[in-house]
Amino acid sequence: MDISFLIISLLALAILFLLIKYYTPKIKGFIGENKASKALKRLNNEKYTVLNNIEFNIKGSTSQIDHVIVSNYGIFVIETKNYKGWILGYEKDKSWIQAIYKYRRKFYNPILQNQGHIYALKHVLKNYQYLRYYSIITFTKRATLKTKTYTDVVYINKLVKTIKKYDHYHINDQTKNDIVAIILTAKTNNRNKDKTLRVNSTMNKNISCPNCGGNLMERNGQYGIFFGCNNFPRCTYTRNKK
């Protein structure tokens, strides 16, 4: 066998191995997120607006959130995992353990990971200081959960039921739609756009607020449609729609 052919073959195999090692977790993660997205479609879209794969850049750091649900009952922030084997961990542990027979691997506590996502959302929605945020960690049925937590850690088939247990009305429809518009404006990625999403209060980027320079949003009020600043309540400028 030609030595140069052998070297090239070994290099090709090494590159293939590295590619598989790099992309396999991403593929598994995508599969898990897709399963959660399908489950979330069972929610009433008049009460819940589901946003998938939202990415923010906060103070130079990127925060990628699997699913954000803006509802009349608060903001649900969902982290999806597609691991197999036993999953062991407690609320405040820095790391959890994935155990498959004798194989054990540590991974960052998804509850702490999701706290970072909520921090990023709070930064984006800083003008809405009294919102309620609910953290939910969801696993596919490939895993066997052996966790003890106060935060909801559930299988995907229990995800919708878990969300619906939070049924205290907290956000009116107008505020809910405004929050959705702000999140969509602030996100830094455009992948996986939900083409079925409809937001009643839309951002008009061609109209600037004369008071603060923000964008004016089309809103429905007691006396009809008007434009309001997206920096409300910090800025209360309004203008009638002509």
Side-chain angles (χ1 to χ4, degrees):
M1 181 180 292
D2 185 78
I3 188 67
S4 60
F5 176 78
L6 180 61
I7 293 173
I8 292 171
S9 299
L10 290 173
L11 285 173
L13 286 172
I15 293 171
L16 180 61
F17 173 78
L18 290 173
L19 287 173
I20 292 172
K21 185 176 180 180
Y22 178 79
Y23 282 107
T24 296
K26 293 180 179 292
I27 294 170
K28 288 180 179 178
F30 175 78
I31 292 171
E33 291 176 28
N34 190 49
K35 287 182 178 180
S37 297
K38 289 181 179 178
L40 293 173
K41 288 181 179 180
R42 302 195 333 249
L43 291 168
N44 184 335
N45 58 17
E46 292 183 2
K47 296 179 180 179
Y48 303 89
T49 300
V50 180
L51 306 175
N52 300 309
N53 186 34
I54 297 295
E55 188 175 290
F56 298 123
N57 191 301
I58 307 297
K59 298 180 181 179
S61 297
T62 298
S63 181
Q64 189 273 329
I65 309 175
D66 292 339
H67 314 280
V68 178
I69 302 172
V70 184
S71 76
N72 297 114
Y73 313 105
I75 311 294
F76 296 88
V77 184
I78 300 171
E79 174 65 24
T80 304
K81 297 297 183 186
N82 187 21
Y83 294 164
K84 66 179 180 179
W86 282 19
I87 305 299
L88 304 99
Y90 291 88
E91 181 85 18
K92 296 182 180 180
D93 288 347
K94 183 176 180 180
S95 299
W96 284 9
I97 295 174
Q98 177 191 24
I100 306 173
Y101 300 106
K102 293 183 179 181
Y103 169 83
R104 285 177 172 251
R105 182 182 76 89
K106 289 184 177 181
F107 63 97
Y108 186 52
N109 183 344
I111 293 175
L112 300 181
Q113 182 183 2
N114 221 28
Q115 287 176 2
H117 297 159
I118 292 173
Y119 169 82
L121 261 177
K122 286 183 175 180
H123 182 83
V124 170
L125 301 173
K126 56 189 174 184
N127 290 331
Y128 299 86
Q129 297 181 7
Y130 301 102
L131 293 175
R132 296 182 184 179
Y133 293 85
Y134 303 106
S135 176
I136 301 177
I137 314 302
T138 185
F139 283 80
T140 63
K141 291 293 288 183
R142 298 172 75 233
T144 300
L145 298 177
K146 301 290 183 178
T147 55
K148 293 183 179 180
T149 65
Y150 299 106
T151 300
D152 291 307
V153 180
V154 300
Y155 295 108
I156 285 178
N157 63 332
K158 301 290 185 181
L159 180 56
V160 170
K161 183 179 180 179
T162 302
I163 292 169
K164 286 185 175 181
K165 78 178 183 179
Y166 298 98
D167 57 1
H168 180 70
Y169 194 93
H170 182 60
I171 301 174
N172 62 41
D173 288 338
Q174 185 62 62
T175 301
K176 182 183 69 174
N177 292 329
D178 290 350
I179 288 170
V180 171
I182 290 169
I183 291 173
L184 292 177
T185 302
K187 75 171 189 171
T188 56
N189 64 318
N190 293 313
R191 187 166 60 91
N192 294 342
K193 285 186 176 179
D194 186 351
K195 296 181 180 179
T196 66
L197 179 66
R198 296 293 181 266
V199 182
N200 291 333
S201 57
T202 56
M203 186 75 72
N204 191 330
K205 295 184 178 180
N206 296 320
I207 306 177
S208 297
C209 174
N211 285 359
C212 69
N215 292 316
L216 296 187
M217 301 171 63
E218 188 177 297
R219 295 174 175 171
N220 292 313
Q222 182 179 359
Y223 302 104
I225 298 175
F226 68 97
F227 288 111
C229 182
N230 73 306
N231 288 323
F232 177 85
R234 182 163 52 87
C235 177
T236 58
Y237 176 83
T238 60
R239 189 165 91 189
N240 293 332
K241 184 176 181 180
K242 298 178 180 179

mmCIF file of all heavy atoms in Angstrom, residues 83-123:
data_model
loop_
_atom_site.group_PDB
_atom_site.id
_atom_site.type_symbol
_atom_site.label_atom_id
_atom_site.label_comp_id
_atom_site.label_asym_id
_atom_site.label_seq_id
_atom_site.Cartn_x
_atom_site.Cartn_y
_atom_site.Cartn_z
ATOM 1 N N TYR A 83 -30.625 13.777 26.602
ATOM 2 C CA TYR A 83 -29.634 12.825 27.085
ATOM 3 C C TYR A 83 -30.296 11.480 27.365
ATOM 4 O O TYR A 83 -31.474 11.422 27.709
ATOM 5 C CB TYR A 83 -28.996 13.325 28.387
ATOM 6 C CG TYR A 83 -28.167 14.581 28.256
ATOM 7 C CD1 TYR A 83 -27.822 15.321 29.383
ATOM 8 C CD2 TYR A 83 -27.734 15.036 27.021
ATOM 9 C CE1 TYR A 83 -27.054 16.472 29.284
ATOM 10 C CE2 TYR A 83 -26.967 16.185 26.911
ATOM 11 C CZ TYR A 83 -26.631 16.907 28.043
ATOM 12 O OH TYR A 83 -25.883 18.038 27.931
ATOM 13 N N LYS A 84 -29.512 10.411 27.266
ATOM 14 C CA LYS A 84 -30.021 9.097 27.657
ATOM 15 C C LYS A 84 -29.318 8.649 28.941
ATOM 16 O O LYS A 84 -28.303 9.221 29.347
ATOM 17 C CB LYS A 84 -29.810 8.079 26.543
ATOM 18 C CG LYS A 84 -28.361 7.745 26.228
ATOM 19 C CD LYS A 84 -28.303 6.695 25.124
ATOM 20 C CE LYS A 84 -26.856 6.349 24.784
ATOM 21 N NZ LYS A 84 -26.768 5.311 23.741
ATOM 22 N N GLY A 85 -29.878 7.627 29.572
ATOM 23 C CA GLY A 85 -29.307 7.138 30.816
ATOM 24 C C GLY A 85 -29.932 7.803 32.030
ATOM 25 O O GLY A 85 -30.873 8.587 31.926
ATOM 26 N N TRP A 86 -29.391 7.479 33.192
ATOM 27 C CA TRP A 86 -29.861 8.089 34.425
ATOM 28 C C TRP A 86 -29.318 9.512 34.531
ATOM 29 O O TRP A 86 -28.152 9.766 34.213
ATOM 30 C CB TRP A 86 -29.385 7.288 35.631
ATOM 31 C CG TRP A 86 -30.174 6.031 35.879
ATOM 32 C CD1 TRP A 86 -30.976 5.376 34.990
ATOM 33 C CD2 TRP A 86 -30.221 5.288 37.104
ATOM 34 N NE1 TRP A 86 -31.528 4.266 35.569
ATOM 35 C CE2 TRP A 86 -31.087 4.184 36.872
ATOM 36 C CE3 TRP A 86 -29.629 5.427 38.350
ATOM 37 C CZ2 TRP A 86 -31.352 3.243 37.859
ATOM 38 C CZ3 TRP A 86 -29.904 4.492 39.337
ATOM 39 C CH2 TRP A 86 -30.754 3.420 39.093
ATOM 40 N N ILE A 87 -30.169 10.425 34.970
ATOM 41 C CA ILE A 87 -29.774 11.812 35.206
ATOM 42 C C ILE A 87 -29.900 12.072 36.699
ATOM 43 O O ILE A 87 -30.993 11.996 37.264
ATOM 44 C CB ILE A 87 -30.653 12.795 34.413
ATOM 45 C CG1 ILE A 87 -30.634 12.457 32.907
ATOM 46 C CG2 ILE A 87 -30.208 14.232 34.667
ATOM 47 C CD1 ILE A 87 -29.275 12.541 32.267
ATOM 48 N N LEU A 88 -28.770 12.373 37.338
ATOM 49 C CA LEU A 88 -28.742 12.570 38.779
ATOM 50 C C LEU A 88 -28.289 13.984 39.112
ATOM 51 O O LEU A 88 -27.303 14.477 38.538
ATOM 52 C CB LEU A 88 -27.792 11.567 39.443
ATOM 53 C CG LEU A 88 -28.051 10.078 39.166
ATOM 54 C CD1 LEU A 88 -27.111 9.581 38.071
ATOM 55 C CD2 LEU A 88 -27.875 9.256 40.417
ATOM 56 N N GLY A 89 -29.010 14.631 40.039
ATOM 57 C CA GLY A 89 -28.604 15.974 40.428
ATOM 58 C C GLY A 89 -29.581 16.628 41.386
ATOM 59 O O GLY A 89 -30.735 16.202 41.499
ATOM 60 N N TYR A 90 -29.092 17.651 42.060
ATOM 61 C CA TYR A 90 -29.892 18.430 42.990
ATOM 62 C C TYR A 90 -29.975 19.878 42.502
ATOM 63 O O TYR A 90 -29.219 20.303 41.616
ATOM 64 C CB TYR A 90 -29.296 18.383 44.393
ATOM 65 C CG TYR A 90 -29.398 17.025 45.056
ATOM 66 C CD1 TYR A 90 -28.398 16.071 44.868
ATOM 67 C CD2 TYR A 90 -30.483 16.693 45.857
ATOM 68 C CE1 TYR A 90 -28.477 14.822 45.467
ATOM 69 C CE2 TYR A 90 -30.573 15.450 46.468
ATOM 70 C CZ TYR A 90 -29.571 14.521 46.267
ATOM 71 O OH TYR A 90 -29.664 13.290 46.860
ATOM 72 N N GLU A 91 -30.867 20.627 43.115
ATOM 73 C CA GLU A 91 -31.165 22.006 42.700
ATOM 74 C C GLU A 91 -29.914 22.870 42.552
ATOM 75 O O GLU A 91 -29.733 23.537 41.547
ATOM 76 C CB GLU A 91 -32.115 22.643 43.714
ATOM 77 C CG GLU A 91 -32.539 24.071 43.395
ATOM 78 C CD GLU A 91 -33.726 24.145 42.454
ATOM 79 O OE1 GLU A 91 -34.436 23.136 42.299
ATOM 80 O OE2 GLU A 91 -33.946 25.227 41.885
ATOM 81 N N LYS A 92 -29.049 22.870 43.549
ATOM 82 C CA LYS A 92 -27.932 23.821 43.589
ATOM 83 C C LYS A 92 -26.576 23.200 43.244
ATOM 84 O O LYS A 92 -25.545 23.870 43.377
ATOM 85 C CB LYS A 92 -27.877 24.487 44.967
ATOM 86 C CG LYS A 92 -29.106 25.339 45.262
ATOM 87 C CD LYS A 92 -28.995 26.034 46.608
ATOM 88 C CE LYS A 92 -30.235 26.890 46.882
ATOM 89 N NZ LYS A 92 -30.156 27.568 48.194
ATOM 90 N N ASP A 93 -26.569 21.943 42.819
ATOM 91 C CA ASP A 93 -25.304 21.340 42.393
ATOM 92 C C ASP A 93 -24.749 22.096 41.188
ATOM 93 O O ASP A 93 -25.501 22.481 40.284
ATOM 94 C CB ASP A 93 -25.498 19.880 41.988
ATOM 95 C CG ASP A 93 -25.758 18.970 43.177
ATOM 96 O OD1 ASP A 93 -25.548 19.417 44.321
ATOM 97 O OD2 ASP A 93 -26.184 17.818 42.961
ATOM 98 N N LYS A 94 -23.441 22.274 41.153
ATOM 99 C CA LYS A 94 -22.844 22.928 39.991
ATOM 100 C C LYS A 94 -22.945 22.033 38.753
ATOM 101 O O LYS A 94 -23.172 22.503 37.643
ATOM 102 C CB LYS A 94 -21.381 23.275 40.268
ATOM 103 C CG LYS A 94 -20.719 24.030 39.131
ATOM 104 C CD LYS A 94 -19.294 24.438 39.470
ATOM 105 C CE LYS A 94 -18.667 25.199 38.316
ATOM 106 N NZ LYS A 94 -17.260 25.605 38.621
ATOM 107 N N SER A 95 -22.785 20.733 38.973
ATOM 108 C CA SER A 95 -22.839 19.779 37.863
ATOM 109 C C SER A 95 -23.811 18.655 38.186
ATOM 110 O O SER A 95 -24.002 18.295 39.348
ATOM 111 C CB SER A 95 -21.451 19.178 37.597
ATOM 112 O OG SER A 95 -20.522 20.180 37.230
ATOM 113 N N TRP A 96 -24.453 18.129 37.142
ATOM 114 C CA TRP A 96 -25.259 16.921 37.254
ATOM 115 C C TRP A 96 -24.489 15.780 36.599
ATOM 116 O O TRP A 96 -23.464 15.999 35.941
ATOM 117 C CB TRP A 96 -26.613 17.125 36.577
ATOM 118 C CG TRP A 96 -27.563 17.966 37.386
ATOM 119 C CD1 TRP A 96 -27.273 18.673 38.513
ATOM 120 C CD2 TRP A 96 -28.949 18.173 37.114
ATOM 121 N NE1 TRP A 96 -28.391 19.322 38.974
ATOM 122 C CE2 TRP A 96 -29.441 19.028 38.137
ATOM 123 C CE3 TRP A 96 -29.819 17.734 36.133
ATOM 124 C CZ2 TRP A 96 -30.761 19.448 38.186
ATOM 125 C CZ3 TRP A 96 -31.142 18.148 36.177
ATOM 126 C CH2 TRP A 96 -31.612 18.992 37.193
ATOM 127 N N ILE A 97 -25.010 14.563 36.783
ATOM 128 C CA ILE A 97 -24.318 13.383 36.262
ATOM 129 C C ILE A 97 -25.227 12.609 35.324
ATOM 130 O O ILE A 97 -26.406 12.367 35.631
ATOM 131 C CB ILE A 97 -23.862 12.465 37.418
ATOM 132 C CG1 ILE A 97 -22.810 13.178 38.272
ATOM 133 C CG2 ILE A 97 -23.294 11.147 36.874
ATOM 134 C CD1 ILE A 97 -22.412 12.413 39.511
ATOM 135 N N GLN A 98 -24.680 12.242 34.183
ATOM 136 C CA GLN A 98 -25.328 11.323 33.254
ATOM 137 C C GLN A 98 -24.663 9.960 33.441
ATOM 138 O O GLN A 98 -23.446 9.827 33.291
ATOM 139 C CB GLN A 98 -25.156 11.792 31.813
ATOM 140 C CG GLN A 98 -25.739 10.838 30.784
ATOM 141 C CD GLN A 98 -25.322 11.182 29.363
ATOM 142 O OE1 GLN A 98 -24.293 11.825 29.155
ATOM 143 N NE2 GLN A 98 -26.115 10.772 28.392
ATOM 144 N N ALA A 99 -25.452 8.943 33.824
ATOM 145 C CA ALA A 99 -24.902 7.612 34.104
ATOM 146 C C ALA A 99 -25.514 6.581 33.165
ATOM 147 O O ALA A 99 -26.735 6.434 33.101
ATOM 148 C CB ALA A 99 -25.169 7.226 35.553
ATOM 149 N N ILE A 100 -24.662 5.879 32.429
ATOM 150 C CA ILE A 100 -25.089 4.780 31.556
ATOM 151 C C ILE A 100 -24.225 3.584 31.914
ATOM 152 O O ILE A 100 -23.070 3.491 31.515
ATOM 153 C CB ILE A 100 -24.925 5.146 30.067
ATOM 154 C CG1 ILE A 100 -25.639 6.468 29.744
ATOM 155 C CG2 ILE A 100 -25.458 4.027 29.178
ATOM 156 C CD1 ILE A 100 -25.384 6.980 28.342
ATOM 157 N N TYR A 101 -24.787 2.682 32.726
ATOM 158 C CA TYR A 101 -24.031 1.556 33.267
ATOM 159 C C TYR A 101 -22.811 2.103 34.032
ATOM 160 O O TYR A 101 -22.954 2.891 34.945
ATOM 161 C CB TYR A 101 -23.649 0.582 32.161
ATOM 162 C CG TYR A 101 -24.841 -0.001 31.447
ATOM 163 C CD1 TYR A 101 -25.186 0.402 30.154
ATOM 164 C CD2 TYR A 101 -25.658 -0.943 32.075
ATOM 165 C CE1 TYR A 101 -26.301 -0.123 29.514
ATOM 166 C CE2 TYR A 101 -26.778 -1.456 31.437
ATOM 167 C CZ TYR A 101 -27.090 -1.040 30.174
ATOM 168 O OH TYR A 101 -28.194 -1.555 29.540
ATOM 169 N N LYS A 102 -21.597 1.747 33.645
ATOM 170 C CA LYS A 102 -20.414 2.224 34.371
ATOM 171 C C LYS A 102 -19.928 3.588 33.871
ATOM 172 O O LYS A 102 -19.061 4.204 34.483
ATOM 173 C CB LYS A 102 -19.287 1.188 34.242
ATOM 174 C CG LYS A 102 -19.586 -0.123 34.953
ATOM 175 C CD LYS A 102 -18.389 -1.068 34.851
ATOM 176 C CE LYS A 102 -18.681 -2.380 35.584
ATOM 177 N NZ LYS A 102 -17.522 -3.311 35.509
ATOM 178 N N TYR A 103 -20.506 4.019 32.746
ATOM 179 C CA TYR A 103 -20.093 5.307 32.176
ATOM 180 C C TYR A 103 -20.757 6.448 32.940
ATOM 181 O O TYR A 103 -21.971 6.429 33.175
ATOM 182 C CB TYR A 103 -20.473 5.372 30.701
ATOM 183 C CG TYR A 103 -20.333 6.741 30.074
ATOM 184 C CD1 TYR A 103 -19.098 7.184 29.610
ATOM 185 C CD2 TYR A 103 -21.438 7.580 29.944
ATOM 186 C CE1 TYR A 103 -18.964 8.437 29.033
ATOM 187 C CE2 TYR A 103 -21.315 8.826 29.360
ATOM 188 C CZ TYR A 103 -20.069 9.254 28.915
ATOM 189 O OH TYR A 103 -19.951 10.496 28.350
ATOM 190 N N ARG A 104 -19.976 7.425 33.342
ATOM 191 C CA ARG A 104 -20.508 8.595 34.031
ATOM 192 C C ARG A 104 -19.895 9.855 33.437
ATOM 193 O O ARG A 104 -18.681 9.906 33.213
ATOM 194 C CB ARG A 104 -20.215 8.542 35.540
ATOM 195 C CG ARG A 104 -21.115 7.548 36.280
ATOM 196 C CD ARG A 104 -20.767 7.447 37.742
ATOM 197 N NE ARG A 104 -21.769 6.626 38.428
ATOM 198 C CZ ARG A 104 -22.668 7.091 39.269
ATOM 199 N NH1 ARG A 104 -22.706 8.388 39.546
ATOM 200 N NH2 ARG A 104 -23.548 6.286 39.838
ATOM 201 N N ARG A 105 -20.746 10.824 33.207
ATOM 202 C CA ARG A 105 -20.272 12.087 32.641
ATOM 203 C C ARG A 105 -20.950 13.237 33.365
ATOM 204 O O ARG A 105 -22.161 13.220 33.609
ATOM 205 C CB ARG A 105 -20.605 12.156 31.149
ATOM 206 C CG ARG A 105 -20.108 13.417 30.453
ATOM 207 C CD ARG A 105 -20.527 13.431 28.993
ATOM 208 N NE ARG A 105 -21.931 13.768 28.854
ATOM 209 C CZ ARG A 105 -22.406 15.018 28.733
ATOM 210 N NH1 ARG A 105 -21.589 16.057 28.784
ATOM 211 N NH2 ARG A 105 -23.698 15.228 28.573
ATOM 212 N N LYS A 106 -20.161 14.262 33.709
ATOM 213 C CA LYS A 106 -20.718 15.448 34.340
ATOM 214 C C LYS A 106 -21.131 16.467 33.282
ATOM 215 O O LYS A 106 -20.491 16.584 32.238
ATOM 216 C CB LYS A 106 -19.692 16.088 35.283
ATOM 217 C CG LYS A 106 -19.417 15.295 36.534
ATOM 218 C CD LYS A 106 -18.469 16.050 37.450
ATOM 219 C CE LYS A 106 -18.227 15.295 38.747
ATOM 220 N NZ LYS A 106 -17.316 16.047 39.656
ATOM 221 N N PHE A 107 -22.223 17.162 33.532
ATOM 222 C CA PHE A 107 -22.617 18.278 32.672
ATOM 223 C C PHE A 107 -23.172 19.397 33.547
ATOM 224 O O PHE A 107 -23.641 19.159 34.661
ATOM 225 C CB PHE A 107 -23.622 17.846 31.599
ATOM 226 C CG PHE A 107 -24.940 17.334 32.129
ATOM 227 C CD1 PHE A 107 -26.057 18.167 32.205
ATOM 228 C CD2 PHE A 107 -25.075 16.003 32.539
ATOM 229 C CE1 PHE A 107 -27.261 17.687 32.681
ATOM 230 C CE2 PHE A 107 -26.285 15.526 33.014
ATOM 231 C CZ PHE A 107 -27.383 16.369 33.085
ATOM 232 N N TYR A 108 -23.103 20.611 33.034
ATOM 233 C CA TYR A 108 -23.479 21.784 33.826
ATOM 234 C C TYR A 108 -24.952 21.708 34.213
ATOM 235 O O TYR A 108 -25.814 21.381 33.391
ATOM 236 C CB TYR A 108 -23.216 23.056 33.013
ATOM 237 C CG TYR A 108 -23.433 24.344 33.773
ATOM 238 C CD1 TYR A 108 -22.813 24.557 35.006
ATOM 239 C CD2 TYR A 108 -24.243 25.349 33.262
ATOM 240 C CE1 TYR A 108 -22.998 25.738 35.700
ATOM 241 C CE2 TYR A 108 -24.437 26.530 33.952
ATOM 242 C CZ TYR A 108 -23.806 26.723 35.178
ATOM 243 O OH TYR A 108 -24.010 27.898 35.867
ATOM 244 N N ASN A 109 -25.243 21.983 35.470
ATOM 245 C CA ASN A 109 -26.605 21.954 35.993
ATOM 246 C C ASN A 109 -27.528 22.792 35.114
ATOM 247 O O ASN A 109 -27.372 24.012 35.022
ATOM 248 C CB ASN A 109 -26.601 22.491 37.427
ATOM 249 C CG ASN A 109 -27.961 22.436 38.085
ATOM 250 O OD1 ASN A 109 -28.989 22.285 37.438
ATOM 251 N ND2 ASN A 109 -27.970 22.588 39.399
ATOM 252 N N PRO A 110 -28.511 22.196 34.425
ATOM 253 C CA PRO A 110 -29.387 22.966 33.519
ATOM 254 C C PRO A 110 -30.259 23.983 34.247
ATOM 255 O O PRO A 110 -30.720 24.946 33.627
ATOM 256 C CB PRO A 110 -30.231 21.886 32.839
ATOM 257 C CG PRO A 110 -30.167 20.704 33.741
ATOM 258 C CD PRO A 110 -28.824 20.756 34.396
ATOM 259 N N ILE A 111 -30.490 23.795 35.547
ATOM 260 C CA ILE A 111 -31.239 24.803 36.302
ATOM 261 C C ILE A 111 -30.426 26.084 36.392
ATOM 262 O O ILE A 111 -30.962 27.187 36.172
ATOM 263 C CB ILE A 111 -31.589 24.281 37.713
ATOM 264 C CG1 ILE A 111 -32.584 23.122 37.619
ATOM 265 C CG2 ILE A 111 -32.153 25.392 38.588
ATOM 266 C CD1 ILE A 111 -32.898 22.472 38.953
ATOM 267 N N LEU A 112 -29.129 25.952 36.702
ATOM 268 C CA LEU A 112 -28.256 27.128 36.738
ATOM 269 C C LEU A 112 -28.105 27.725 35.340
ATOM 270 O O LEU A 112 -28.051 28.953 35.177
ATOM 271 C CB LEU A 112 -26.882 26.745 37.302
ATOM 272 C CG LEU A 112 -26.869 26.164 38.722
ATOM 273 C CD1 LEU A 112 -25.432 25.862 39.149
ATOM 274 C CD2 LEU A 112 -27.535 27.115 39.704
ATOM 275 N N GLN A 113 -28.049 26.862 34.332
ATOM 276 C CA GLN A 113 -27.965 27.333 32.946
ATOM 277 C C GLN A 113 -29.185 28.172 32.601
ATOM 278 O O GLN A 113 -29.070 29.240 31.997
ATOM 279 C CB GLN A 113 -27.868 26.127 32.008
ATOM 280 C CG GLN A 113 -27.733 26.481 30.544
ATOM 281 C CD GLN A 113 -27.707 25.247 29.653
ATOM 282 O OE1 GLN A 113 -27.824 24.111 30.125
ATOM 283 N NE2 GLN A 113 -27.541 25.447 28.361
ATOM 284 N N ASN A 114 -30.354 27.707 33.015
ATOM 285 C CA ASN A 114 -31.578 28.426 32.701
ATOM 286 C C ASN A 114 -31.706 29.725 33.492
ATOM 287 O O ASN A 114 -32.347 30.679 33.047
ATOM 288 C CB ASN A 114 -32.798 27.538 32.959
ATOM 289 C CG ASN A 114 -33.850 27.676 31.880
ATOM 290 O OD1 ASN A 114 -33.529 27.998 30.724
ATOM 291 N ND2 ASN A 114 -35.094 27.435 32.225
ATOM 292 N N GLN A 115 -31.094 29.783 34.667
ATOM 293 C CA GLN A 115 -31.069 31.033 35.421
ATOM 294 C C GLN A 115 -30.331 32.118 34.639
ATOM 295 O O GLN A 115 -30.711 33.292 34.675
ATOM 296 C CB GLN A 115 -30.416 30.816 36.785
ATOM 297 C CG GLN A 115 -31.276 30.042 37.774
ATOM 298 C CD GLN A 115 -30.570 29.765 39.089
ATOM 299 O OE1 GLN A 115 -29.424 30.177 39.305
ATOM 300 N NE2 GLN A 115 -31.238 29.049 39.978
ATOM 301 N N GLY A 116 -29.288 31.709 33.931
ATOM 302 C CA GLY A 116 -28.581 32.655 33.057
ATOM 303 C C GLY A 116 -29.463 33.140 31.929
ATOM 304 O O GLY A 116 -29.414 34.310 31.539
ATOM 305 N N HIS A 117 -30.295 32.249 31.376
ATOM 306 C CA HIS A 117 -31.221 32.636 30.318
ATOM 307 C C HIS A 117 -32.258 33.632 30.835
ATOM 308 O O HIS A 117 -32.601 34.601 30.147
ATOM 309 C CB HIS A 117 -31.929 31.391 29.770
ATOM 310 C CG HIS A 117 -31.009 30.411 29.129
ATOM 311 N ND1 HIS A 117 -31.327 29.077 28.955
ATOM 312 C CD2 HIS A 117 -29.764 30.561 28.603
ATOM 313 C CE1 HIS A 117 -30.326 28.468 28.356
ATOM 314 N NE2 HIS A 117 -29.369 29.346 28.140
ATOM 315 N N ILE A 118 -32.744 33.398 32.044
ATOM 316 C CA ILE A 118 -33.723 34.311 32.637
ATOM 317 C C ILE A 118 -33.095 35.674 32.904
ATOM 318 O O ILE A 118 -33.729 36.713 32.693
ATOM 319 C CB ILE A 118 -34.311 33.694 33.929
ATOM 320 C CG1 ILE A 118 -35.179 32.481 33.572
ATOM 321 C CG2 ILE A 118 -35.130 34.725 34.704
ATOM 322 C CD1 ILE A 118 -35.679 31.705 34.765
ATOM 323 N N TYR A 119 -31.843 35.669 33.327
ATOM 324 C CA TYR A 119 -31.125 36.930 33.514
ATOM 325 C C TYR A 119 -31.072 37.727 32.209
ATOM 326 O O TYR A 119 -31.299 38.945 32.191
ATOM 327 C CB TYR A 119 -29.714 36.664 34.026
ATOM 328 C CG TYR A 119 -28.821 37.886 34.006
ATOM 329 C CD1 TYR A 119 -28.873 38.826 35.035
ATOM 330 C CD2 TYR A 119 -27.931 38.110 32.950
ATOM 331 C CE1 TYR A 119 -28.065 39.950 35.009
ATOM 332 C CE2 TYR A 119 -27.120 39.230 32.917
ATOM 333 C CZ TYR A 119 -27.188 40.147 33.954
ATOM 334 O OH TYR A 119 -26.399 41.273 33.917
ATOM 335 N N ALA A 120 -30.770 37.036 31.104
ATOM 336 C CA ALA A 120 -30.706 37.706 29.800
ATOM 337 C C ALA A 120 -32.071 38.272 29.418
ATOM 338 O O ALA A 120 -32.170 39.396 28.914
ATOM 339 C CB ALA A 120 -30.211 36.721 28.731
ATOM 340 N N LEU A 121 -33.136 37.500 29.655
ATOM 341 C CA LEU A 121 -34.482 37.978 29.344
ATOM 342 C C LEU A 121 -34.856 39.182 30.190
ATOM 343 O O LEU A 121 -35.464 40.141 29.707
ATOM 344 C CB LEU A 121 -35.494 36.857 29.576
ATOM 345 C CG LEU A 121 -35.962 36.066 28.357
ATOM 346 C CD1 LEU A 121 -36.901 34.952 28.789
ATOM 347 C CD2 LEU A 121 -36.636 36.969 27.337
ATOM 348 N N LYS A 122 -34.504 39.143 31.469
ATOM 349 C CA LYS A 122 -34.796 40.272 32.344
ATOM 350 C C LYS A 122 -34.077 41.531 31.873
ATOM 351 O O LYS A 122 -34.605 42.642 32.011
ATOM 352 C CB LYS A 122 -34.393 39.947 33.787
ATOM 353 C CG LYS A 122 -35.342 38.979 34.483
ATOM 354 C CD LYS A 122 -34.918 38.747 35.935
ATOM 355 C CE LYS A 122 -35.938 37.878 36.665
ATOM 356 N NZ LYS A 122 -35.548 37.638 38.072
ATOM 357 N N HIS A 123 -32.881 41.352 31.315
ATOM 358 C CA HIS A 123 -32.147 42.497 30.777
ATOM 359 C C HIS A 123 -32.875 43.085 29.562
ATOM 360 O O HIS A 123 -32.999 44.308 29.439
ATOM 361 C CB HIS A 123 -30.732 42.073 30.378
ATOM 362 C CG HIS A 123 -29.881 43.184 29.857
ATOM 363 N ND1 HIS A 123 -29.191 44.044 30.687
ATOM 364 C CD2 HIS A 123 -29.624 43.590 28.582
ATOM 365 C CE1 HIS A 123 -28.549 44.933 29.950
ATOM 366 N NE2 HIS A 123 -28.785 44.676 28.673
#
